[in-house]
């Protein structure tokens, strides 16, 4: 694994890594990953594989047919490779405990999230990276790993995976709701004044988990899918991907709820700031 500062934003601590053996990347700051084409599509903010290929070819040395062929071959590979990646083994877990750390609860309050609701789903984790100790919110996923979040960091401890909530093993579910991240889910619960969703919920934890989510939705035999995805090119592409791969489902896009904002979380945080400014 090779670590870099992200090409998608300015940062002081590297959060972007490349898994050389599998030729895939993952950005812990954004929870996104994939192959070289996925990188170019995200970097150029395009959903077109053709445009991404053209861009890659333009960056290659003149006459580099090998590069073009490799890029096109990469486009035919399954994106699942990026879904199996694990967190940096340099992260040393110290302990996981119920959420009560004031710095973390204050972070949630600042984002408008109900701490009482968050405590039902999120714990606090203490870990060591390099020579320093850190702590973060810890949201469990289906592979026994944790999605980590604090005001300065977003990452994963253990294997990246989806999180399935409010569903008894072996049961079917006619209706399923999908969120991109756990802060989005907690924000939606806070907005609706609930501590639990009325349907089974899948939290993707990364857009790279889309195929894993689709497999789960099919296994649940769902007929209706509610989507709370980002209101950007990536979120729109994700919604289209679900429609293409689940054509028999009634898919309801709820992104209109937070129009003018990137996602549910940003929308709730803005609403919370506005309420606080009024006094």
């Amino acid at each position: 694994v090779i670590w870099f500062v992200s090409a998608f934003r300015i940062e002081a601590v590297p959060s972007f890594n490349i898994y050389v053996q599998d030729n895939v990347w993952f950005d812990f700051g954004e929870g996104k990953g994939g192959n070289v084409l996925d990188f170019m599509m995200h970097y150029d903010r395009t959903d077109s594989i053709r445009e991404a290929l053209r861009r890659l070819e333009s960056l290659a040395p003149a006459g580099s047919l090998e590069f073009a062929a490799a890029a096109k071959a990469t486009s035919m590979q399954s994106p699942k490779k990026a879904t199996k990646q694990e967190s940096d083994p340099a992260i040393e877990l110290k302990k996981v405990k119920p959420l009560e750390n004031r710095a973390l609860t204050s972070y949630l309050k600042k984002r408008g999230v109900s701490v009482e609701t968050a405590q039902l789903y999120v714990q606090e984790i203490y870990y060591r990276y390099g020579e320093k100790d850190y702590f973060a919110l810890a949201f469990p996923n289906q592979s026994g790993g944790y999605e980590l979040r604090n005001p300065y960091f977003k990452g994963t401890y253990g294997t990246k995976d989806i999180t399935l909530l409010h569903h008894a093993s072996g049961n079917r579910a006619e209706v399923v709701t999908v969120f991109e991240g756990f802060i989005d889910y907690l924000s939606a619960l806070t907005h609706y004044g609930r501590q639990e969703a009325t349907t089974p919920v899948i939290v993707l934890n990364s857009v790279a988990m889309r195929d894993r989510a689709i497999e789960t939705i099919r296994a649940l035999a769902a007929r209706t899918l509610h989507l709370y995805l980002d209101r950007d090119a990536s979120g729109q592409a994700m919604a289209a991907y679900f429609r293409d791969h689940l054509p028999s489902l009634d898919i309801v896009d709820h992104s209109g709820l937070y129009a003018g904002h990137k996602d549910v979380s940003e929308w709730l945080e803005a609403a919370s700031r506005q309420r606080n400014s009024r006094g």
Side-chain angles (χ1 to χ4, degrees):
V1 178
I2 303 175
W3 286 81
F4 300 92
V5 293
S6 177
F8 305 129
R9 63 189 171 277
I10 298 173
E11 61 182 12
V13 179
S15 64
F16 181 97
N17 58 33
I18 295 177
Y19 298 85
V20 179
Q21 184 175 357
D22 292 328
N23 196 30
V24 294
W25 59 276
F26 193 86
D27 188 324
F28 285 94
E30 298 199 9
K32 301 179 186 296
N35 56 36
V36 63
L37 280 175
D38 295 318
F39 175 87
M40 190 54 65
M41 291 169 70
H42 186 54
Y43 186 78
D44 283 348
R45 300 184 180 277
T46 177
D47 299 323
S48 170
I49 292 178
R50 180 177 297 178
E51 290 301 317
L53 280 169
R54 287 176 181 170
R55 181 92 157 93
L56 286 168
E57 290 175 354
S58 71
L59 295 173
S64 178
L65 298 178
E66 294 83 357
F67 181 88
K72 290 177 180 177
T74 300
S75 71
M76 301 303 292
Q77 295 176 357
S78 168
K80 288 186 178 180
K81 276 195 173 183
T83 71
K84 298 179 181 179
Q85 304 308 321
E86 299 185 356
S87 62
D88 190 331
I91 295 179
E92 178 187 354
L93 178 63
K94 294 293 187 179
K95 62 181 176 180
V96 178
K97 55 182 289 190
L99 175 60
E100 59 184 9
N101 183 297
R102 285 190 178 182
L104 296 176
T105 57
S106 294
Y107 168 62
L108 289 172
K109 289 177 181 177
K110 182 179 179 181
R111 303 198 65 161
V113 172
S114 164
V115 173
E116 292 74 18
T117 299
Q119 288 172 327
L120 300 174
Y121 301 92
V122 180
Q123 297 170 284
E124 57 188 49
I125 189 171
Y126 294 80
Y127 61 97
R128 189 170 184 80
Y129 184 82
E131 299 298 320
K132 294 185 178 181
D133 293 323
Y134 300 92
F135 58 86
L137 298 170
F139 180 68
N141 64 36
Q142 297 305 104
S143 290
Y146 290 99
E147 301 305 315
L148 309 182
R149 191 71 173 265
N150 66 33
Y152 313 104
F153 174 75
K154 180 179 180 182
T156 304
Y157 176 80
T159 303
K160 175 71 73 173
D161 201 352
I162 65 170
T163 300
L164 177 61
L165 300 167
H166 314 308
H167 176 260
S169 179
N171 291 349
R172 294 188 173 188
E174 295 239 341
V175 183
V176 176
T177 304
V178 174
F179 292 86
E180 284 202 29
F182 74 89
I183 298 291
D184 289 328
Y185 176 54
L186 297 177
S187 297
L189 287 178
T190 300
H191 166 67
Y192 289 118
R194 299 174 184 151
Q195 291 193 322
E196 182 176 319
T198 57
T199 74
V201 166
I202 293 175
V203 180
L204 295 172
N205 295 317
S206 167
V207 295
M209 293 292 111
R210 61 188 187 183
D211 290 324
R212 176 87 166 92
I214 286 172
E215 290 171 3
T216 303
I217 292 165
R218 287 172 176 161
L220 294 174
R223 295 184 179 180
T224 302
L225 188 63
H226 294 273
L227 299 179
Y228 288 82
L229 305 177
D230 288 1
R231 283 183 62 87
D232 57 12
S234 176
Q236 292 171 3
M238 176 76 72
Y241 193 83
F242 277 116
R243 292 189 187 96
D244 290 343
H245 288 75
L246 299 167
S248 64
L249 269 65
D250 177 19
I251 297 181
V252 183
D253 184 352
H254 291 272
S255 63
L257 173 68
Y258 38 97
H261 299 275
K262 178 188 175 184
D263 53 31
V264 190
S265 174
E266 184 182 279
W267 170 68
L268 184 73
E269 184 175 359
S272 178
R273 283 199 305 268
Q274 188 173 27
R275 285 195 302 271
N276 291 336
S277 66
R278 290 172 181 169

